[in-house]
Amino acid sequence: MAIHGNGLRAQHMYILTWLIFSGGFFSVVDADFNYQDALTKSIIFLEAQRSGKLPPNHRPSWRGDSALQDGKVENVDLVGGYYDAGDNVKYGLPLAFTVTTLSWAAIFYQAELQEAGEIKNVRAAIRWGTDYLLKATAKRNCLYVQVGDPEKDHECWVRPENMQTPRTVLKIDRNTPGTEIAAETAAALAAASVVFRHADHAYSRRLLNRAKAVFSSLVFQFAKTYKGTYDGECPFYCSYSGFNDELLWAATWLYTATKRSIYMDYIQDEAISATVSEFSWDLKYAGAQILLTKYYMEGKKDLHNYKQDADSYICSVLPDSPDHKVYISPGGLVHLRDGANAQYVTGTALLFSIYGDILARHKQQVICGNKKFGSARLIAFAKQQMDYLLGKNPRRMSYMVGFGNKPPTHAHHRGASVPKMSPNKVINCPMSFVYYYNTNASNPNELTGAIVGGPDKNDNFVDQRSNSAMTEPTTYTNSLAIGVLAKLAKYHAQS
């Protein structure tokens, strides 16, 4: 397939051109990578991010049980969940977003994940998050949103199994509102309830009931009196976009899970939308707009404005659109900002892939000024972004640890960079940086499947542990990639 914009020529010896029929359109595609392997490894990375008591089938052998007393200072059980990135803090906002987007992939690409043999692993990854969110929402009108002291945590380079830093607990309630994080938690529980509807009906009902309770008590009823931005996770996770996107996102997922008119009425009459060029843990408008466009195309014509907003998002990103706004690197990579830029790449790929499939199903197009773009163009751009991360780039290197050509070996990650040791061993925090951080040695533990932050706007990359902007992975970068990789594994498989 010819790659539009600033794409590269194929750089691999074995390129198979396939004619694929999908949803009413034909497209010629290149099978450049072992996407099945990339998919499997991307899920293994999420297992490496688990906190708590690990299950017997846990795959990263260098990880062990950790943070088994979380929540004890508040007399609540908060054991489990995920570490968001290379540190040992559990942040509620990115954790919930990871669950929501992973659930979206499991719903929309269920057949592809099933065929790849990974649907059970994805459900297990979702459940690891939702089990924790159920604990965090167990008290009425209260949501526990963070475990760990970020300042103290960042003063010690130690694996989670050996950490001695404080496990401070933060929460939101009527005295300290946090609309964004409450709404994202409701979205995660609602989306996950759809995933488990047929696999575990009782668990699905529990998730949905909790999602409705959280949305009602911590989001909806607080709308006039208690609505407020939660900044407890700032400066690490500051909600610069405000809470209106999370309100729309949560209501959309609750409607998806329930089909109840109360949520659609809110979406049509009260929710605020916006035209954006980004989809991320902080900015959810584009995701909600694409979800709602599906309902518009299925007959809910009152949602036409969301179709327009979804199209605006596509038009602002596509490099050959007259309304293009997003910077594309010389090698063809979406680059929004330094610091885990790969999350915007995988987020773009997911939305373009899903929207492309929706357009194909309904034989629709995106109109950008005097140009029209069909599903094939969107899907090609999604593939281009994923292919760049997997190795089709100016440096001819993979940005997924343990995959492809010349992958990173110095991920900015405590667990991967500190050797496995007795859980009773006490680490001197100042010296931990000397021994494990400021070294040129490769990580002793392979962080299999981690998509690192990636290159700068000029396609430059330095595989250095201290360069966190380029080498730190995050759970949500991978959760956004899994659905696209499942689709690529099915339709662009190597033979």
Side-chain angles (χ1 to χ4, degrees), residues 389-461:
L389 293 178
L390 297 178
K392 187 183 277 191
N393 55 60
R395 301 180 67 86
R396 300 190 181 189
M397 69 169 288
S398 166
Y399 291 104
M400 176 183 282
V401 176
F403 176 88
N405 187 47
K406 299 184 295 184
T409 58
H410 296 75
H412 179 96
H413 189 276
R414 285 161 175 76
S417 61
V418 178
K420 189 175 181 180
M421 58 187 69
S422 166
N424 299 321
K425 185 175 177 62
V426 177
I427 304 297
N428 179 283
C429 286
M431 293 304 295
S432 67
F433 289 89
V434 176
Y435 295 143
Y436 311 121
Y437 181 74
N438 294 311
T439 70
N440 292 322
S442 298
N443 288 346
N445 308 308
E446 183 184 271
L447 193 60
T448 305
I451 301 173
V452 298
D456 65 15
K457 63 188 297 184
N458 297 312
D459 302 305
N460 298 313
F461 179 80

Side-chain angles (χ1 to χ4, degrees), residues 3 6-8 11-12 32-35 37-39 41-42 329 331-337 339-350 380-408 449-457 459-461 469-482 484-485 488:
I3 299 178
N6 296 315
L8 300 175
Q11 298 169 336
H12 299 264
D32 300 314
F33 299 100
N34 186 338
Y35 298 110
D37 186 44
L39 170 63
K41 288 176 174 176
S42 67
S329 77
L333 189 72
V334 167
H335 193 281
L336 271 72
R337 56 185 67 87
N341 180 67
Q343 67 177 296
Y344 309 115
V345 180
T346 57
T348 299
L350 179 65
F381 189 73
K383 180 178 181 294
Q384 178 191 334
Q385 296 306 302
M386 292 306 303
D387 282 353
Y388 184 110
L389 293 178
L390 297 178
K392 187 183 277 191
N393 55 60
R395 301 180 67 86
R396 300 190 181 189
M397 69 169 288
S398 166
Y399 291 104
M400 176 183 282
V401 176
F403 176 88
N405 187 47
K406 299 184 295 184
I451 301 173
V452 298
D456 65 15
K457 63 188 297 184
D459 302 305
N460 298 313
F461 179 80
M470 291 184 173
T471 60
E472 187 168 19
T474 71
T475 54
Y476 40 92
T477 302
N478 274 54
S479 69
L480 291 162
I482 284 169
V484 190
L485 288 172
L488 290 170

Side-chain angles (χ1 to χ4, degrees), residues 27 135 212 315 374 409 425-426:
S27 63
K135 294 179 178 182
K212 291 188 288 188
C315 296
T409 58
K425 185 175 177 62
V426 177

Side-chain angles (χ1 to χ4, degrees), residues 35 77 132 140 142 181 192-193 259 268 309 331 336 342 355 360 368 381 385 392 401 408 412 423-424 432 462:
Y35 298 110
D77 177 10
Y132 175 79
R140 185 173 175 81
C142 175
I181 199 164
S193 76
K259 297 299 187 289
Q268 292 178 327
D309 289 343
L336 271 72
Y355 200 30
C368 303
F381 189 73
Q385 296 306 302
K392 187 183 277 191
V401 176
H412 179 96
N424 299 321
S432 67
V462 179

Side-chain angles (χ1 to χ4, degrees), residues 3 41 116 128 137 140 173 200 213 246 264 351 399 409 426 481:
I3 299 178
K41 288 176 174 176
W128 195 266
T137 57
R140 185 173 175 81
D173 53 23
D200 188 337
E246 276 87 7
M264 184 53 67
L351 294 200
Y399 291 104
T409 58
V426 177

Side-chain angles (χ1 to χ4, degrees), residues 65-380:
D65 300 342
S66 63
L68 299 180
Q69 301 298 314
D70 277 3
K72 192 172 183 180
V73 294
E74 284 280 324
N75 197 30
V76 62
D77 177 10
L78 295 176
V79 176
Y82 288 103
Y83 304 114
D84 72 300
D87 54 17
N88 299 328
V89 181
K90 293 190 303 202
Y91 296 102
L93 187 56
L95 191 155
F97 181 68
T98 296
V99 171
T100 312
T101 50
L102 194 56
S103 297
W104 195 4
I107 295 164
F108 200 85
Y109 291 116
Q110 178 181 341
E112 288 82 355
L113 287 165
Q114 188 86 45
E115 187 167 321
E118 293 292 351
I119 190 66
K120 288 184 178 179
N121 287 325
V122 170
R123 286 175 182 156
I126 294 167
R127 191 162 189 152
W128 195 266
T130 51
D131 281 351
Y132 175 79
L133 292 178
L134 287 171
K135 294 179 178 182
T137 57
K139 288 189 177 180
R140 185 173 175 81
N141 297 324
C142 175
L143 169 62
Y144 291 96
V145 296
Q146 181 176 306
V147 183
D149 183 327
E151 298 298 335
K152 293 296 182 182
D153 182 83
H154 284 77
E155 292 173 2
C156 202
W157 194 262
V158 60
R159 62 200 295 265
E161 293 84 349
N162 295 93
M163 64 179 167
Q164 301 291 322
T165 48
R167 301 301 287 171
T168 313
V169 173
L170 294 183
K171 65 181 178 181
I172 62 169
D173 53 23
R174 281 182 161 79
N175 296 319
T176 53
T179 303
E180 296 98 333
I181 199 164
E184 183 60 61
T185 301
L189 292 165
S193 76
V194 180
V195 174
F196 291 101
R197 184 166 292 162
H198 300 295
D200 188 337
H201 186 68
Y203 188 67
S204 172
R205 291 302 307 172
R206 186 181 175 202
L207 293 174
L208 184 55
N209 288 336
R210 189 64 59 84
K212 291 188 288 188
V214 170
F215 192 78
S216 174
S217 64
L218 288 174
V219 181
F220 207 68
Q221 290 178 10
F222 279 24
K224 292 184 173 61
T225 309
Y226 300 104
K227 186 188 291 180
T229 289
Y230 174 72
D231 59 4
E233 295 180 347
C234 205
F236 301 97
Y237 287 98
C238 310
S239 181
Y240 295 109
S241 68
F243 44 68
N244 287 315
D245 56 318
E246 276 87 7
L247 290 172
L248 175 62
W249 179 241
T252 301
W253 275 113
L254 277 158
Y255 176 76
T256 299
T258 66
K259 297 299 187 289
R260 289 182 60 190
S261 60
I262 183 176
Y263 302 115
M264 184 53 67
D265 291 344
Y266 176 82
I267 290 165
Q268 292 178 327
D269 301 333
E270 297 183 56
I272 295 173
S273 189
T275 54
V276 296
S277 304
E278 171 189 329
F279 178 63
S280 67
W281 61 263
D282 183 36
L283 194 59
K284 324 289 172 50
Y285 286 119
Q289 289 156 3
I290 287 172
L291 275 165
L292 292 170
T293 296
K294 173 178 175 288
Y295 296 122
Y296 164 75
M297 291 183 180
E298 289 173 351
K300 290 191 173 295
K301 297 306 178 184
D302 290 344
L303 298 174
H304 177 66
N305 60 311
Y306 290 107
K307 167 70 164 65
Q308 291 180 319
D309 289 343
D311 285 1
S312 176
Y313 164 75
I314 298 297
C315 296
S316 70
V317 177
L318 269 181
D320 40 343
S321 160
D323 302 321
H324 170 69
K325 296 182 180 68
V326 171
Y327 179 83
I328 306 292
S329 77
L333 189 72
V334 167
H335 193 281
L336 271 72
R337 56 185 67 87
D338 291 327
N341 180 67
Q343 67 177 296
Y344 309 115
V345 180
T346 57
T348 299
L350 179 65
L351 294 200
F352 269 66
S353 182
I354 288 176
Y355 200 30
D357 287 341
I358 293 171
L359 291 172
R361 196 170 298 155
H362 297 277
K363 297 180 173 59
Q364 296 288 316
Q365 293 179 312
V366 171
I367 300 174
C368 303
N370 60 353
K371 285 191 174 184
K372 293 182 180 180
F373 298 99
S375 58
R377 178 66 188 103
L378 273 65
I379 292 168

